[in-house]
Amino acid sequence: MKETDKSQLARYIRNIIYLTDEQLALILSFFKVTSHVKNEIIIDVGEINTYMNFIERGCLRMFFIGEDGQEVTRNISFENQFATGLASFIQQLPSEESLQALEPTTLFRIARKDFYYLLNVIPAWEKFYRNYLEFAYLNNISIYQREMMKDATERYKELLKVNPKIVDRLPNKIIASYLNMTPETLSRVKSKL
C-alpha cells in the first residue's frame, strides 16, 4: 500500500464532516502510514500517547492489567475506525493502558500537535473531534452498563449481535477478557448456545 492511498480515510472523514478538497488534502497530509506485526504493543503503560490512529487494515485493542494480574480488554477496534488511548492523548500523561495490534495492522497516524493545529485552522475539524469524543463516551457507557446489568450469556449474545467480527477474528482469551469473564466461562456460555 502506498502512503498516498488514503481514500478509505478520506471517505471516513467526509462521512462525518463537510470539507473543501483543499481542507481535506491538508488534513490527509498530516497522516502517516505505519505497519505493525501481530501482538505488537504500539503504546505501553507508562508511555505518553502522542498519536491518533485510523485503522486501515487490522485490529487494535486497548487493555490494562487488573488488580488480579489479568489482562482486561477495554476496547477492540477494526478497519475503518479510529482508536487511541484518549486519556493520555488529551492530558499528555503516561498511559494507564496498552494499545496492541491483534493482527498485522496498517494505521494512518496523526501526531497530537498536528491534530490540535487542525482544530485551530479548520473549524469543521472540531465537529469531527466532537463526533469522535461522543462516540468514545457512549461506547464507555455501553461497556459499563453491560458489565453491571448483564450476565455472561447476555454479554456474549449482545457481542454476537453488535460486533460479530470480534468472535469471528479473535481468540477466545481476548473475547473473554473483553467480556469480563474467564475463558472457561466463555466456553460454557458458547456450549449452551
Side-chain angles (χ1 to χ4, degrees), residues 42-44 46-53 62 83-97 99 109-113 116 132:
I42 299 168
I43 296 289
D44 208 350
E47 296 177 349
I48 295 175
N49 182 21
T50 58
Y51 289 94
M52 183 77 70
N53 308 291
M62 295 293 307
T84 196
L86 268 175
S88 178
F89 181 81
I90 292 168
Q91 298 176 311
Q92 288 299 275
L93 294 173
S95 180
E96 295 183 5
E97 302 176 300
L99 180 66
R109 306 181 87 196
I110 183 170
R112 183 182 187 276
K113 66 179 177 52
Y116 278 84
Y132 179 68

Side-chain angles (χ1 to χ4, degrees), residues 1 8 33-42 54-61 77-80 100-108 169-171:
M1 182 192 70
Q8 183 179 343
V33 68
T34 60
S35 294
H36 305 275
V37 297
K38 182 177 179 176
N39 295 323
E40 179 182 342
I41 300 293
I42 299 168
F54 177 80
I55 305 168
E56 197 270 337
R57 177 180 65 87
C59 177
L60 295 179
R61 80 166 172 149
S77 302
F78 293 99
E79 293 87 0
N80 210 35
Q100 179 185 34
L102 292 178
E103 301 173 344
T105 299
T106 303
L107 303 175
F108 286 115
R169 289 171 57 174
L170 301 179

Side-chain angles (χ1 to χ4, degrees), residues 10-184:
R11 278 191 305 276
Y12 181 91
I13 293 169
R14 278 222 156 120
N15 281 336
I16 296 172
I17 56 175
Y18 171 80
L19 296 166
T20 66
D21 291 343
E22 295 79 19
Q23 289 171 325
L24 181 61
L26 177 63
I27 290 168
L28 294 177
S29 73
F30 287 110
F31 282 86
K32 306 300 179 210
V33 68
T34 60
S35 294
H36 305 275
V37 297
K38 182 177 179 176
N39 295 323
E40 179 182 342
I41 300 293
I42 299 168
I43 296 289
D44 208 350
V45 170
E47 296 177 349
I48 295 175
N49 182 21
T50 58
Y51 289 94
M52 183 77 70
N53 308 291
F54 177 80
I55 305 168
E56 197 270 337
R57 177 180 65 87
C59 177
L60 295 179
R61 80 166 172 149
M62 295 293 307
F63 74 96
F64 60 92
I65 305 300
E67 290 178 4
D68 60 358
Q70 299 298 308
E71 291 180 358
V72 178
T73 300
R74 188 181 60 77
N75 194 37
I76 296 172
S77 302
F78 293 99
E79 293 87 0
N80 210 35
Q81 293 181 307
F82 273 84
T84 196
L86 268 175
S88 178
F89 181 81
I90 292 168
Q91 298 176 311
Q92 288 299 275
L93 294 173
S95 180
E96 295 183 5
E97 302 176 300
S98 295
L99 180 66
Q100 179 185 34
L102 292 178
E103 301 173 344
T105 299
T106 303
L107 303 175
F108 286 115
R109 306 181 87 196
I110 183 170
R112 183 182 187 276
K113 66 179 177 52
D114 297 328
F115 189 91
Y116 278 84
Y117 168 76
L118 291 172
L119 290 173
N120 290 323
V121 298
I122 300 178
W125 194 243
E126 283 201 32
K127 180 179 179 187
F128 178 85
Y129 189 34
R130 185 179 69 237
N131 179 278
Y132 179 68
L133 293 173
E134 289 172 352
F135 174 81
Y137 177 75
L138 293 173
N139 187 53
N140 284 340
I141 287 176
S142 174
I143 291 167
Y144 178 76
Q145 288 175 334
R146 178 185 74 205
E147 296 304 312
M148 295 294 115
M149 300 168 63
K150 296 182 178 166
D151 66 23
T153 301
E154 290 172 316
R155 292 195 304 266
Y156 183 71
K157 283 181 178 178
E158 180 180 279
L159 181 64
L160 288 172
K161 180 180 170 189
V162 174
N163 202 343
K165 273 196 263 189
I166 291 175
V167 176
D168 293 341
R169 289 171 57 174
L170 301 179
N172 281 346
K173 179 182 176 190
I174 300 294
I175 297 166
S177 168
Y178 181 64
L179 293 175
N180 194 24
M181 62 180 75
T182 65
E184 296 78 20

